[in-house]
Amino acid sequence: MTFLKQIGRRRFLGVLGGTALMGAVPGAVQSAQRAATASSTFTPDLEIELRAVQDQVPLYQGPSTNVWRYRARVLKGDAQSVSHHPDSPLGPVIRVHRGTRIRIHFINELPQPSVVHWHGLLVPEAADGHPRHAVGPGGRYVYEFEMINRAGTYWFHPHPHGMTGPQVYAGLTGMLIVTDDEERALKLPDGDRDVGLVIQDRSFTRDNQLRYMGQGGGMMGMMGGMMGFLGDRIHVNGRPDFTLAVERKPYRLRLLNGSNSRIYKLAWSDGSPMTVIGTDGGLLAAPVSRSYVTLAPSERVELWVDFSSRAAGEEIGLVSLPFAASSGGGGMMGGGMMGGGSGPAQGSGFPVLKVRVGQGAAVSEKLPEKLASMPALRPEQAHNVNNPRVIRVTASGMRWSLNGRVFEMEGVAPDEIVRMGTTEVWEFINEAGMHMMGAMPHPLHVHGVQFRIIDRRVHPSAMAAWRSVSDGHVDEGWKDTVLVMPGERVRVLMRFESYPGLFLYHCHNLEHEDMGMMRNFLIKV
Ligand code: C2O
Ligand code: CU
Ligand code: CU
């Protein structure tokens, strides 16, 4: 049975589970229905129809690959706001200027429930793509929000409970780019020289069909879930063997790790330093330089790359360098175990893409020394600076969890309520599984906010693995996801000022998220 047929079957489970949960809380059903239609008081500048469809794409020699993908169409406003990747399962790129009022009509043409989450965007609760707002096959949902985010690289993907991993894997991923006036004034590389690159790992059967985890089942399937899916082929923008043709000019490369579980340690093959200008929440205050960049699932980084100094016809590789994914040693899954899927272990090295430099004349441009304004946010502004809200990675049996709890559709514990308008320190602690299962990295993500990283500390016994990725963190910018390595504690600072309501925090290893390593938190007025 192919992967898509297999997950198509799971819809019965999904629908039953969903109905049972929704039935228990009538309010949830009502709010979903209310938000599912366009409101008469909201006047959009941009209106888009976004369909999740079943499709076939020629990816490899031989049969086409069955995929699930997003297709979009502008109904009102700037037709240039949407562009598709040809011959790719990847969703469209949506480009929006800050301040734009957007209405998106989502139509689910999949055989199972789905919902769209706008990763990194600050949107009202009803537009955030919470799993309780998933709509079944043939269902529709209307998202309405004003773009209040800073200029930067964001993305959208499905978020139905228990099925996010397979749906993203099947192809449902798109980049969303926000521009604003401050950024335009910088005159950064634009047009063909502003390139989005979504990096994902996949595995295929011999007849070119996607292969996901659990095929084989049993103990390996379960352990695969604990580790997450790792594919054996790297796709960029949905295509294998990706080559980017560039002119001898500076470029802006927007990298998104759209993989389910794989972490990349990205570097230029010739060892050139990387100039980073942006992170999850947009442009940095000033460019920073790194010898490599660590990119965990859902993280973004923007690079400024000057190809004018390159020889005509030169080829450069973007590679992922080897690193230590666990502190090694004990544990039944310690040190370099394979995940679900057939791919190389987490931390293996491999090529990601090639850049081919054109023959034209070299044109250089200066990168501004100052990029964007970054409002000061100091830990002392937090009411709990001396007593952070702790989010601890935990594990019970063969399941990862947060503070010992797994996801409940409507559940919010008393220690998961924050006040609108307050500033808080959260501390993510990854010390679980050091013995039984072997600790592993977890990319932890929070909805409804962008945060700043205050500091990181690591247990001495986990130092070697931590050191193998830590120089690649870009902690200077706004973040919505932070990689927390085994034995590491990270303190982050966030201000709840956008919208009140029920939002999520979770591990962005999608297999972990699907097994319940996700919780609600409530921003209360
Ligand atoms: Cu991209 Cu809730 O996540
Ligand atoms: Cu998100
Ligand atoms: Cu995790």
Side-chain angles (χ1 to χ4, degrees):
M1 188 167 23
T2 70
F3 153 66
L4 284 177
K5 281 206 187 111
Q6 199 175 37
I7 67 168
R9 276 195 175 182
R10 284 173 57 185
R11 79 190 140 128
F12 299 112
L13 253 179
V15 168
L16 284 176
T19 309
L21 281 159
M22 301 277 265
V25 187
V29 178
Q30 277 167 21
S31 72
Q33 280 166 352
R34 220 176 17 246
T37 54
S39 90
S40 55
T41 53
F42 183 91
T43 319
D45 309 304
L46 177 66
E47 201 161 356
I48 294 173
E49 177 190 270
L50 183 72
R51 292 184 300 139
V53 302
Q54 310 181 53
D55 203 356
Q56 293 193 323
V57 179
L59 287 179
Y60 292 96
Q61 278 249 304
S64 288
T65 303
N66 296 311
V67 299
W68 290 358
R69 62 182 306 196
Y70 289 121
R71 289 216 146 262
R73 187 160 73 94
V74 175
L75 304 176
K76 178 192 166 189
D78 184 1
Q80 307 297 309
S81 307
V82 165
S83 57
H84 288 91
H85 295 278
D87 284 341
S88 163
L90 202 72
V93 180
I94 301 180
R95 281 184 176 263
V96 185
H97 199 80
R98 192 172 186 173
T100 305
R101 293 162 65 81
I102 310 162
R103 176 181 289 153
I104 298 166
H105 302 260
F106 171 59
I107 305 172
N108 180 7
E109 294 177 13
L110 307 174
Q112 62 178 219
S114 196
V115 61
V116 188
H117 169 56
W118 314 95
H119 183 119
L121 296 189
L122 308 170
V123 299
E125 169 188 40
D128 195 49
H130 189 281
R132 76 190 190 286
H133 293 148
V135 295
R140 291 168 173 254
Y141 195 95
V142 178
Y143 300 86
E144 293 174 339
F145 55 91
E146 182 180 336
M147 183 59 68
I148 60 171
N149 279 73
R150 305 171 77 238
T153 308
Y154 305 90
W155 64 300
F156 55 100
H157 61 77
H159 221 301
H161 182 44
M163 295 177 286
T164 296
Q167 289 193 6
V168 169
Y169 187 71
L172 295 162
T173 300
M175 195 177 262
L176 193 151
I177 292 172
V178 178
T179 59
D180 64 23
D181 295 342
E182 184 188 40
E183 177 217 28
R184 294 283 97 180
L186 293 170
K187 301 243 177 317
L188 293 169
D190 200 358
D192 289 346
R193 293 191 290 127
D194 178 353
V195 184
L197 297 166
V198 182
I199 307 171
Q200 295 172 309
D201 56 337
R202 297 289 182 263
S203 289
F204 291 86
T205 61
R206 257 184 272 145
D207 56 348
N208 295 343
Q209 300 312 309
L210 284 162
R211 197 147 51 85
Y212 191 52
M213 28 198 309
Q215 286 167 325
M219 192 61 178
M220 271 316 287
M222 264 162 65
M223 300 218 307
M226 285 301 284
M227 300 299 288
F229 173 88
L230 296 168
D232 57 10
R233 302 209 192 210
I234 299 298
H235 283 193
V236 176
N237 291 346
R239 304 278 315 164
D241 306 315
F242 191 88
T243 301
L244 179 69
V246 301
E247 296 178 77
R248 297 171 68 200
K249 294 176 179 172
Y251 276 69
R252 177 180 191 175
L253 304 184
R254 303 170 183 264
L255 305 177
L256 156 66
N257 181 351
S259 310
N260 284 29
S261 299
R262 191 174 287 285
I263 299 161
Y264 303 92
K265 179 176 175 177
L266 298 169
W268 295 115
S269 53
D270 65 354
S272 304
M274 304 185 117
T275 305
V276 182
I277 60 169
T279 51
D280 301 345
L283 290 174
L284 299 174
V288 298
S289 181
R290 293 287 185 275
S291 54
Y292 65 86
V293 165
T294 305
L295 207 62
S298 92
E299 284 187 307
R300 287 86 69 205
V301 85
E302 293 190 23
L303 304 179
W304 186 86
V305 198
D306 187 1
F307 296 111
S308 71
S309 54
R310 298 281 175 176
E314 191 177 341
E315 258 187 24
I316 313 131
L318 183 69
V319 299
S320 189
L321 301 172
F323 63 91
S326 80
S327 34
M332 56 191 272
M333 296 169 64
M337 259 291 295
M338 300 235 302
S342 52
Q346 186 78 282
S348 308
F350 46 82
V352 172
L353 62 85
K354 254 190 291 188
V355 178
R356 192 172 297 132
V357 182
Q359 304 287 338
V363 180
S364 60
E365 280 166 17
K366 259 195 76 191
L367 171 63
E369 275 161 37
K370 286 216 158 49
L371 296 169
S373 52
M374 295 262 283
L377 194 57
R378 284 169 295 106
E380 309 79 66
Q381 290 171 271
H383 69 85
N384 66 343
V385 60
N386 295 317
N387 183 26
R389 199 178 285 274
V390 169
I391 315 288
R392 204 179 276 279
V393 170
T394 45
S396 38
M398 296 298 271
R399 211 170 174 194
W400 293 107
S401 49
L402 293 168
N403 287 335
R405 308 176 186 120
V406 292
F407 183 62
E408 301 164 85
M409 192 61 87
E410 307 272 340
V412 181
D415 61 3
E416 292 174 315
I417 299 173
V418 304
R419 282 259 161 206
M420 183 72 178
T422 57
T423 303
E424 291 205 351
V425 178
W426 287 22
E427 183 169 28
F428 299 112
I429 305 181
N430 180 11
E431 288 170 353
M434 299 288 254
H435 309 292
M436 214 282 275
M437 285 162 302
M440 62 176 294
H442 299 276
L444 297 174
H445 169 52
V446 188
H447 288 215
V449 286
Q450 288 283 339
F451 54 77
R452 302 295 300 274
I453 292 171
I454 303 172
D455 54 15
R456 299 169 179 268
R457 277 184 296 158
V458 65
H459 193 270
S461 70
M463 191 59 86
W466 187 78
R467 280 252 163 86
S468 74
V469 298
S470 58
D471 285 350
H473 293 317
V474 186
D475 289 348
E476 288 88 343
W478 289 100
K479 299 284 295 166
D480 55 53
T481 305
V482 60
L483 177 63
V484 190
M485 287 293 282
E488 185 175 21
R489 300 167 164 242
V490 185
R491 288 197 308 154
V492 306
L493 184 63
M494 54 187 116
R495 184 164 171 77
F496 304 98
E497 58 185 356
S498 305
Y499 298 99
L502 195 67
F503 293 91
L504 298 162
Y505 63 100
H506 60 88
C507 183
H508 221 289
N509 176 316
L510 296 183
E511 285 68 45
H512 294 181
E513 174 183 336
D514 280 345
M515 70 169 67
M517 194 179 183
M518 171 159 80
R519 292 288 303 173
N520 290 318
F521 75 102
L522 181 66
I523 306 176
K524 212 170 166 174
V525 199

